[in-house]
Amino acid sequence: MTATLTRTWNVEFEQETLEKLISKHAPHVPLTREHASRPPETEEEKAGFYQYWAATGGHDLSIVQAASKAILLIPDPDLHLILSRQIGDDGAHAIAFRERIIALTRRDPIDDIRKEAERHWEFLGDVPFRNWLGFVAWELHYEHYILPQVWFNKLTSTIGDEELAQKSKEHFNDDEAVHRITIANWWRKKFEQASPTEKSEIAAQLLELDEEIQQRRAPYIKQRWQDAENFNGANTKGIEPVYDAWRKEVISYLLDIPNPQLTSISQ
């Protein structure tokens, strides 16, 4: 898949950058998967599978809710069309996770998916809808900054599900790439139309909101990394500096800031 943005943001840029950062900060992580994962076998492993993928379904449900609300609050038809794709895709992903949990554990996780989505709103508060830049900051956190976690998991996990892995390869990965690319493209068009003074003001406001979301989400992010280790058998050693460096790359690329000063996930 290749999709080009205003500044040629595409999956090739993402791959080259993440491979560089992983090689620098986590050289023990292979850049291609060396061994296939196996399905959960014991009751404990099935319980871990349930917990991890129910939480992932709740994450995607919160995205559906946030994007739906943004359509009502931000009067921009260009954005509305982008978000309609995002809503449909992430809704379909959450349904797929729910269906696989039921197939493997005979338990319907819908109540836990709901609780997990509510949890996101508890720590996010009103930031995603405080203004339109709050929504942009939310998009970066929920679509762009998550990539290191996705990469470490797909490269090192030892417990997984063949059906979900195949759906990720055939659909989910491309869906998420489209979300990142179209949002970044939409942002760049708006940003490039601003005057130099407006750009400076917009960048400062976005950075402030981005930092606030980072502080609100940090405990959740660290827990997800630990869950990937506990439930998927992933190796997340070295993910902190990769996450920090990737976040700086995204901000630098989208705001034309050579070396943004951002709070580390470890602080």
Side-chain angles (χ1 to χ4, degrees):
M1 171 186 172
T2 301
T4 303
L5 287 185
T6 308
R7 298 186 62 206
T8 59
W9 179 298
N10 51 40
V11 292
E12 288 78 18
F13 160 74
E14 294 176 341
Q15 180 172 343
E16 291 171 6
T17 304
L18 282 165
E19 287 183 349
K20 176 189 69 176
L21 296 178
I22 290 172
S23 295
K24 178 179 179 180
H25 298 290
H28 59 283
V29 173
L31 297 181
T32 57
R33 173 172 276 282
E34 296 179 341
H35 306 287
S37 59
R38 62 171 177 80
E41 297 169 349
T42 67
E43 291 305 311
E44 182 180 4
E45 289 175 349
K46 289 180 181 180
F49 178 91
Y50 176 102
Q51 186 170 334
Y52 187 85
W53 290 105
T56 305
H59 172 274
D60 283 357
L61 176 57
S62 75
I63 291 176
V64 170
Q65 293 167 343
S68 299
K69 191 169 184 178
I71 288 177
L72 295 175
L73 296 178
I74 303 174
D76 186 327
D78 188 16
L79 178 64
H80 295 173
L81 293 178
I82 292 169
L83 296 183
S84 68
R85 167 74 188 260
Q86 190 174 4
I87 291 166
D89 289 343
D90 282 310
H93 301 173
I95 289 170
F97 302 146
R98 179 187 183 186
E99 290 176 344
R100 287 307 292 160
I101 290 172
I102 293 172
L104 290 173
T105 70
R106 299 294 184 263
R107 294 172 58 195
D108 187 345
I110 190 61
D111 195 48
D112 289 313
I113 288 174
R114 174 187 59 79
K115 290 177 182 177
E116 184 69 14
E118 290 173 352
R119 179 183 171 212
H120 285 265
W121 293 111
E122 288 171 2
F123 61 68
L124 284 170
D126 72 337
V127 185
F129 308 111
R130 195 174 292 166
N131 52 44
W132 74 279
L133 289 172
F135 180 73
V136 174
W138 172 87
E139 280 280 359
L140 297 183
H141 277 274
Y142 276 72
E143 295 291 345
H144 298 73
Y145 300 160
I146 199 174
L147 268 185
Q149 174 185 317
V150 172
W151 273 57
F152 273 69
N153 203 40
K154 77 176 182 178
L155 291 172
T156 68
S157 62
T158 58
I159 300 173
D161 178 70
E162 184 176 354
E163 182 170 319
L164 286 180
Q166 189 63 28
K167 286 185 176 180
S168 293
K169 182 178 179 180
E170 294 177 353
H171 301 291
F172 297 173
N173 293 340
D174 281 356
D175 290 344
E176 297 302 330
V178 167
H179 304 167
R180 295 189 300 272
I181 288 167
T182 52
I183 283 293
N185 186 36
W186 172 81
W187 162 260
R188 284 300 307 184
K189 284 191 292 185
K190 295 185 76 69
F191 190 64
E192 288 168 358
Q193 290 169 1
S195 69
T197 299
E198 290 172 333
K199 283 184 179 179
S200 179
E201 293 174 352
I202 289 172
Q205 292 177 51
L206 181 58
L207 284 173
E208 182 177 349
L209 291 160
D210 184 88
E211 283 280 271
E212 182 175 351
I213 294 179
Q214 175 70 16
Q215 292 171 15
R216 288 170 174 264
R217 291 189 74 232
Y220 164 80
I221 295 169
K222 294 174 184 178
Q223 180 191 321
R224 285 293 282 174
W225 295 344
Q226 190 61 56
D227 288 348
E229 287 200 3
N230 294 341
F231 305 141
N232 300 343
N235 182 351
T236 61
K237 180 182 178 182
I239 195 172
E240 294 93 343
V242 174
Y243 175 89
D244 286 344
W246 171 245
R247 184 171 165 233
K248 286 186 176 183
E249 289 279 356
V250 174
I251 288 293
S252 177
Y253 204 96
L254 295 179
L255 295 182
D256 296 328
I257 299 175
N259 184 31
Q261 300 304 301
L262 303 174
T263 303
S264 170
I265 187 67
S266 63
Q267 291 181 249

